[in-house]
Amino acid sequence: MSDDQKAVCNPTAEEDDGEMVDPLQKLRDNCAAKASCAALSEKLNSCNDRVNSKSATTETCLEELIDYMHCVDHCASHKLFKLLK
């Protein structure tokens, strides 16, 4: 196991300032960087830009947000439950 994996997998890991690190957040960050989730993140960002550029619209980015969060959570869940005691 690499040092990065140990840091992510250690639920009692601490950051440099001494605060506890949430292993789920680290897993989500790692998963968000993967190509499949990064593509969904780009779709979400372009939707947000499109919606924010209009003054009056009924469009929302709910579908894009759900797809992105599903990808990230699905990826993180495979590793997260191995960390639970």
Side-chain angles (χ1 to χ4, degrees), residues 5 8-9 27 30-31 34 73-84:
Q5 288 173 324
V8 168
C9 293
L27 288 171
N30 291 341
C31 289
K34 292 189 176 190
D73 286 343
H74 180 74
C75 171
S77 68
H78 293 291
K79 298 174 186 168
L80 178 67
F81 289 103
K82 293 177 184 175
L83 303 176
L84 299 177

Side-chain angles (χ1 to χ4, degrees), residues 9 21 29 31 38 42-44 61 67 71 81 84:
C9 293
V21 177
D29 292 343
C31 289
E42 182 58 38
K43 285 178 79 171
L44 175 60
C61 299
D67 290 343
C71 180
F81 289 103
L84 299 177

Side-chain angles (χ1 to χ4, degrees), residues 6-67:
K6 287 179 184 175
V8 168
C9 293
N10 185 358
T12 60
E14 295 184 15
E15 289 184 358
D16 293 338
D17 59 359
E19 292 186 25
M20 299 300 290
V21 177
D22 182 4
L24 177 58
Q25 189 57 47
K26 285 198 171 267
L27 288 171
R28 282 181 173 161
D29 292 343
N30 291 341
C31 289
K34 292 189 176 190
S36 59
C37 294
L40 292 171
S41 175
E42 182 58 38
K43 285 178 79 171
L44 175 60
N45 290 336
S46 66
C47 179
N48 281 329
D49 292 342
R50 184 174 61 250
V51 169
N52 291 333
S53 70
K54 298 177 183 178
S55 60
T57 183
T58 60
E59 181 182 12
T60 65
C61 299
L62 182 61
E63 181 179 350
E64 289 83 354
L65 176 62
I66 291 171
D67 290 343

